[in-house]
Amino acid sequence: MAAYDSIVVGAGAAGLYAAFHAGRRGRRVLVLEHNGEPGAKIVISGGGRCNFTNLHAAPERFLSANPHFARSALARHTQADVIALVRKHGVAFNEKTLGQLFCEGPRSSRKIVRLLLDECAAAGVEVRTGVRVNAVRRSERFTVETSAGVFESETLTIATGGLSIPKLGASGFAFDIAAQFGLPVVRLRPGLVPLTFAEGDLSWMRPLSGVSADIAARAGKATFREAALFTHRGLSGPAILQVSSYWTPGETVVLDWLPDAADDILAARKRERPKAQLKSVLSELLSERLAAALAERLPQGAVGDMKDAALIEAARMLKNFRLTPVGTEGYAKAEVTVGGVDTNALSQQTMQARAAPGLFFIGEAVDVTGWLGGYNFQWAWSSGWAAGQAI
Ligand code: FDA
């Protein structure tokens, strides 16, 4: 039986990051990955350019049943630390929008995987791929039975991520291990995912498939000002993905199609062009196809024939457009899993399970979910770093 100080299950962002930080401390570390290659999600992330962090990463931009849990790790290993590491490896990057840092060039996300593997190699970490974990047992030490033999270690770190994108290797392993050790799991659901709608709504949405608009979208108390995109099944685009993480089934989402305009915008346009049809006034504010679709729900005719009050009412409707999704496109399309191992069961300094000393959970498996825009990788790095100091 091969013996290690630390075994990490999952060679994704969090697992590799924790592994090389522990290796740098002189720990003998083994990483076990069931895919044939490490870092599958990193490779496809950010459209192949990996949005590896966000300049504005802060605890408020993460969802968790315990919003304070992420503070410690995010403060002790920040976006600046990650940027320094990326610079050290000479990986070129740039800021796209809203503080999002992306690697430069097609397929450049592979450079992040290379960086992680180089750091692991330099720290003496052993990474074994194509290995299935069959069972985990704990007495004095952890025993991990796998398709490649039995391994033993002092600490065991679960970095197997959430349920999103099963075809990339996602599994419920972390939650099975949590159950085995009696740790609670906050209800899991797909996040950063397109929303789907019933036939009644799709009849007007589907013809707009491919149309995008700069909107403000709200679910619960969260509002995001970004683009929305009509799809064959409903709505996607950054604004919608963001609110999807806050949306719960049965709830309404509120869209503002005119986020820069005041309620009197249409009444003001009436004074400039009284003969114009409401539809044409709208097409000055929105794309033509979207304006035509929305105008069908509003009074018809020339704006000059409409009372100011009616035009204000129409603008208010466009700024508080309520829709009730029937669901989401599910884990097959979700960028993340909301929920996860209950943070109340973990130490916020080290990510160690309070009730199971030596057992650690990091990354997406934990009930900490970031906004769209590099936040989820930042959590993987920060939580991986925190565990890396302790495992
Ligand atoms: P991650 O999923 O990266 O790694 C888990 C690893 O464990 C995988 O290699 C998996 O194969 C392995 N594993 C699972 N079960 C196992 C088992 N039973 N035995 C052994 N190994 C097992 N975020 C962001 O910040 N910026 C971005 O640009 C993007 N883009 C993006 C695009 C797409 C399409 C998706 C689906 C997701 C993103 N994300 C993102 C989210 C981001 O990819 C995600 O939050 C992190 O990869 C989570 O890191 P983890 O290390 O926790 O899990």
Side-chain angles (χ1 to χ4, degrees):
M1 191 185 324
Y4 293 84
D5 295 323
S6 316
I7 293 178
V8 177
V9 186
L16 293 171
Y17 212 78
F20 77 73
H21 280 102
R24 282 181 185 178
R25 290 172 38 240
R27 303 286 281 171
R28 193 159 175 243
V29 186
L30 170 67
V31 182
L32 297 172
E33 166 62 48
H34 68 174
N35 279 349
E37 299 287 336
K41 257 188 206 168
I42 302 173
V43 171
I44 60 143
S45 69
R49 291 171 196 231
C50 186
N51 176 195
F52 59 88
T53 191
N54 193 297
L55 293 174
H56 311 307
E60 300 70 37
R61 294 176 175 210
F62 294 82
L63 292 81
S64 173
N66 173 5
H68 299 297
F69 179 82
R71 281 181 186 279
S72 170
L74 290 170
R76 285 186 301 141
H77 196 77
T78 66
Q79 50 274 45
D81 296 311
V82 176
I83 293 166
L85 179 69
V86 170
R87 285 216 168 99
K88 175 183 141 190
H89 285 258
V91 178
F93 63 90
N94 52 31
E95 181 187 350
K96 265 203 180 165
T97 173
L98 304 170
Q100 301 169 5
L101 300 189
F102 282 78
C103 299
E104 259 176 41
R107 292 159 57 92
S108 51
S109 54
R110 289 181 184 277
K111 294 179 184 167
I112 299 291
V113 180
R114 189 69 265 151
L115 172 165
L116 296 168
L117 293 176
D118 286 350
E119 288 289 347
C120 281
V125 173
E126 205 179 313
V127 180
R128 296 181 69 150
T129 54
V131 178
R132 198 182 57 245
V133 175
N134 296 324
V136 168
R137 281 183 287 109
R138 177 166 173 268
S139 47
E140 293 271 287
R141 288 162 66 83
F142 288 91
T143 305
V144 182
E145 290 171 21
T146 78
S147 55
V150 180
F151 304 100
E152 200 197 77
S153 63
E154 192 183 318
T155 69
L156 178 66
T157 303
I158 308 300
T160 49
L163 301 175
S164 313
I165 325 276
K167 70 172 192 237
L168 288 179
S171 79
F173 184 80
F175 315 117
D176 296 342
I177 294 291
Q180 182 185 334
F181 287 88
L183 308 177
V185 172
V186 173
R187 194 174 66 83
L188 305 170
R189 58 194 169 85
L192 300 181
V193 64
L195 296 173
T196 57
F197 292 86
E199 204 43 50
D201 285 320
L202 284 179
S203 59
W204 71 269
M205 286 181 171
R206 208 181 272 123
L208 294 173
S209 180
V211 170
S212 71
D214 179 21
I215 68 160
R218 174 157 57 89
K221 288 187 185 136
T223 303
F224 292 92
R225 172 70 196 272
E226 281 186 73
L229 172 74
F230 287 90
T231 70
H232 285 284
R233 301 184 60 193
L235 286 167
S236 185
I240 300 299
L241 299 181
Q242 297 280 33
V243 290
S244 75
S245 298
Y246 289 85
W247 178 75
T248 50
E251 233 181 53
T252 300
V253 293
V254 183
L255 308 185
D256 180 351
W257 300 110
L258 301 171
D260 290 324
D263 287 356
D264 65 354
I265 177 89
L266 301 176
R269 299 274 166 131
K270 164 176 141 177
R271 278 178 269 294
E272 289 163 22
R273 294 208 302 134
K275 292 209 173 101
Q277 297 288 304
L278 181 53
K279 186 167 126 182
S280 358
V281 171
L282 271 187
S283 66
E284 293 162 6
L285 302 165
L286 296 162
S287 76
E288 198 150 334
R289 281 165 70 196
L290 179 57
L294 292 174
E296 286 192 14
R297 301 159 164 259
L298 299 172
Q300 306 294 308
V303 281
D305 298 335
M306 296 176 196
K307 291 207 161 76
D308 277 10
L311 290 169
I312 286 170
E313 180 58 33
R316 281 197 183 131
M317 195 275 264
L318 294 171
K319 292 183 67 59
N320 292 282
F321 197 90
R322 302 172 77 81
L323 283 167
T324 307
V326 282
T328 73
E329 293 205 16
Y331 290 116
K333 290 282 168 62
E335 273 198 23
V336 284
T337 300
V338 183
V341 176
D342 192 332
T343 58
N344 291 318
L346 305 177
S347 150
Q348 62 179 0
Q349 270 76 40
T350 63
M351 308 290 135
Q352 180 168 213
R354 296 181 197 287
L359 181 63
F360 295 71
F361 289 85
I362 55 175
E364 202 181 313
V366 177
D367 173 34
V368 174
T369 308
W371 286 4
L372 183 78
Y375 297 96
N376 284 295
F377 278 132
Q378 185 58 47
W379 172 244
W381 314 135
S382 294
S383 61
W385 178 89
Q389 310 310 306
I391 60 177

